[in-house]
Amino acid sequence: GDSVTQMEGPVTLSEEAFLTINCTYTATGYPSLFWYVQYPGEGLQLLLKATKADDKGSNKGFEATYRKETTSFHLEKGSVQVSDSAVYFCALSDPPGGSYIPTFGRGTSLIVHP
Amino acid sequence: NAGVTQTPKFQVLKTGQSMTLQCAQDMNHEYMSWYRQDPGMGLRLIHYSVGAGITDQGEVPNGYNVSRSTTEDFPLRLLSAAPSQTSVYFCASSPDERSYNEQFFGPGTRLTVL
């Protein structure tokens, strides 16, 4: 079945450092890929998405490129801020061979120090 | 639009008690779902619905019931609470089942079962 694997956290960085959070996936078809962010005490919200190979999703300075050849969707940001401290979830949705119901990774906690 | 709303925000139950977690959305979304979030486990799907009158089980349905009598509401019922159901519960909605659609999450209900 479909699955998403994320790097374990927490990831601890200083402000203005470069961020990479790795995400790889297993899917039967051609999935859509997503990154969601969860700020403390809140629900998840969509950060960015890509629906086909080589697409790049971007939002709020974050980027991720859909790499079919490596089945990856790594999240990057060039210069993190304290306000980026949150838990980040990679997810996929994979109809019709798989399921349209999203499959989420376990989440990666990011802590950014001033 | 209020988006996805959940009540209550916090709840403490004793083992064996019953309760209903409320979820409502005002975006006319067809698809709604319930997840539980536990440390180190990410999000796990409990039940979902693709429209009024239609529900189905997710990954961890045991101990929970749902119904979908209207498009707007999707309550989650715990018939006899157990300590293993201590968790944070999130309701989510999406316009329909298309793979590229964003999931909109509520703020969550933190449940403790003693």
Side-chain angles (χ1 to χ4, degrees):
Chain A
D2 297 345
S3 66
V4 175
T5 302
Q6 293 180 234
M7 59 188 293
E8 292 209 14
V11 174
T12 304
L13 296 172
S14 297
E15 207 164 23
E16 299 184 1
F18 185 86
L19 168 71
T20 299
I21 299 178
N22 290 337
C23 172
T24 57
Y25 67 89
T26 302
T28 55
Y30 300 93
S32 296
L33 302 174
F34 308 84
W35 276 101
Y36 284 82
V37 58
Q38 182 182 31
Y39 297 105
E42 298 182 8
L44 281 70
Q45 55 186 277
L46 182 68
L47 180 60
L48 53 85
K49 69 181 181 184
T51 58
K52 61 183 187 296
D54 299 325
D55 270 1
K56 177 185 283 187
S58 62
N59 186 25
K60 299 182 181 180
F62 291 89
E63 293 183 339
T65 300
Y66 188 161
R67 302 288 189 197
K68 187 168 174 60
E69 64 275 14
T70 55
T71 61
S72 65
F73 193 54
H74 304 322
L75 183 68
E76 296 181 336
K77 187 175 185 182
S79 176
V80 294
Q81 305 300 312
V82 172
S83 57
D84 293 328
S85 298
V87 181
Y88 293 82
F89 291 88
C90 186
L92 70 81
S93 182
D94 184 27
S99 172
Y100 61 84
I101 301 170
T103 298
F104 287 88
R106 294 191 172 189
T108 302
S109 175
L110 170 65
I111 301 169
V112 180
H113 294 293
Chain B
N1 286 349
V4 179
T5 58
Q6 291 183 240
T7 56
K9 287 194 173 185
F10 302 94
Q11 183 71 50
V12 178
L13 293 177
K14 295 181 179 178
T15 297
Q17 286 185 315
S18 63
M19 80 159 296
T20 300
L21 279 63
Q22 300 292 343
C23 174
Q25 52 90 9
D26 61 358
M27 298 174 283
N28 201 33
H29 285 175
E30 290 293 325
Y31 176 82
M32 296 185 74
S33 54
W34 276 102
Y35 294 88
R36 58 177 291 172
Q37 184 179 30
D38 302 291
M41 301 293 291
L43 289 172
R44 292 185 290 171
L45 182 67
I46 304 171
H47 285 284
Y48 65 97
S49 168
V50 299
I54 307 169
T55 64
D56 207 344
Q57 297 180 349
E59 180 185 356
V60 288
N62 292 341
Y64 308 94
N65 282 347
V66 292
S67 60
R68 183 98 180 268
S69 56
T70 67
T71 299
E72 294 78 19
D73 300 299
F74 191 44
L76 179 71
R77 280 181 281 275
L78 285 71
L79 297 179
S80 179
S84 61
Q85 294 178 304
T86 294
S87 187
V88 181
Y89 292 85
F90 289 100
C91 179
S93 74
S94 184
D96 54 39
E97 68 268 21
R98 294 178 188 172
S99 66
Y100 51 81
N101 275 329
E102 173 182 356
Q103 298 283 313
F104 292 82
F105 283 81
T109 294
R110 185 175 294 273
L111 175 67
T112 302
V113 183
L114 303 175

